[in-house]
Amino acid sequence: QSALTQPASVSGSPGQSITISCTGTSSDVGAHNYVSWYQQHTGKAPKVVIYDVTYRPSGVSNRFSGSRSGNTASLTISGLQAEDEADYYCCSYTTSSTYVFGSGTKVTVL
Amino acid sequence: QLVESGGGLVKTGESLRLSCEASGFAFNKFTMIWVRQAPGKGLEWVSSISSGSTYMYYADSLRGRFTVSRDNAKSVMFLEMHSLRAEDTAIYFCARRLLSDYGVITRGFDPWGQGTLVTVSS
């Protein structure tokens, strides 16, 4: 159950778009349409921004979108805003009926 | 709403039981999970328990030291932790599978509790 691989940090200027990748294997990311993404501000509980690869929960900005190609899932944040500065984690259901999180990505708004 | 409790400072080798009290939804219909976060580190899935306690899963790293359970009558989930080690020091969060706008129970997780801190020290 190795953590999914994410870049340690991604940055962008306000208004720009950024993409965070999440690479796993055919036993997790590539096996199901069950990848979710979480935003975590410092000292707070995680908050889901994308579930089941592409779906956005109600109340989450449409600036957040998700996709997947093979064993790599991606989260794109468009129109970057200061409030988007946080840590982001992907999470995948696995073929063993367990879950695995990504290593986490710190998003910085320049 | 989810509220964790039971965290605290324990010594290496001791045991601890965490609770996650749920309110505001039909607790008995949802799979629940435990996730932990060591200081300054990322999220780590710990355990899952199905709605009726039929299925329980654990992270390989726990090697049988942790046991998850639930009491649907009281809307509470538990995590029994034994033979605690320094590396178990973390904030422990509980979370529920997300109910979509279409009434489907998805494999995302929301809501989350605020977490309870477990510190293991020698």
Side-chain angles (χ1 to χ4, degrees):
Chain A
Q1 288 179 334
S2 300
L4 307 175
T5 302
Q6 297 181 231
S9 63
V10 174
S11 62
S13 299
Q16 287 186 329
S17 292
I18 61 169
T19 297
I20 303 168
S21 61
C22 169
T23 301
T25 68
S26 58
S27 296
D28 38 61
V29 174
H32 306 290
N33 289 326
Y34 296 139
V35 176
S36 49
W37 289 89
Y38 300 87
Q39 176 192 64
Q40 187 182 34
H41 287 107
T42 303
K44 301 293 187 181
K47 169 192 170 185
V48 64
V49 294
I50 293 290
Y51 67 93
D52 293 359
V53 178
T54 62
Y55 292 89
R56 195 172 50 249
S58 60
V60 172
S61 171
N62 58 10
R63 297 183 297 103
F64 291 88
S65 61
S67 63
R68 187 193 66 181
S69 177
N71 297 334
T72 298
S74 298
L75 173 71
T76 297
I77 309 174
S78 58
L80 200 61
Q81 298 180 2
E83 66 206 49
D84 300 330
E85 189 160 291
D87 294 324
Y88 290 83
Y89 296 90
C90 59
C91 179
S92 176
Y93 188 57
T94 78
T95 53
S96 300
S97 302
T98 60
Y99 291 86
V100 58
F101 279 91
S103 47
T105 298
K106 180 176 181 61
V107 169
T108 301
V109 181
L110 302 172
Chain B
Q1 183 183 6
L2 299 172
V3 179
E4 303 92 338
S5 61
L9 175 62
V10 296
K11 295 186 181 302
T12 302
E14 293 185 341
S15 300
L16 204 59
R17 187 175 86 157
L18 306 182
S19 299
C20 170
E21 295 189 37
S23 61
F25 65 93
F27 181 73
N28 61 353
K29 295 190 183 304
F30 290 85
T31 289
M32 301 289 294
I33 67 168
W34 287 99
V35 173
R36 68 183 181 182
Q37 186 169 36
K41 303 296 184 182
L43 301 175
E44 178 186 16
W45 172 81
V46 170
S47 180
S48 300
I49 184 167
S50 61
S51 58
S53 302
T54 302
Y55 303 104
M56 291 161 281
Y57 299 99
Y58 302 91
D60 290 343
S61 61
L62 300 180
R63 297 183 183 178
R65 297 184 296 118
F66 289 14
T67 302
V68 65
S69 61
R70 63 192 294 165
D71 182 340
N72 283 347
K74 297 181 178 179
S75 296
V76 182
M77 175 177 66
F78 303 101
L79 186 67
E80 298 260 6
M81 305 184 295
H82 300 286
S83 302
L84 285 164
R85 308 166 179 169
E87 55 263 37
D88 296 318
T89 294
I91 296 173
Y92 286 73
F93 297 98
C94 64
R96 188 202 76 182
R97 279 178 64 175
L98 171 68
L99 182 65
S100 75
D101 292 344
Y102 308 101
V104 175
I105 298 177
T106 75
R107 292 200 181 274
F109 294 100
D110 186 80
W112 294 62
Q114 83 291 346
T116 186
L117 177 62
V118 172
T119 303
V120 184
S121 174
S122 56

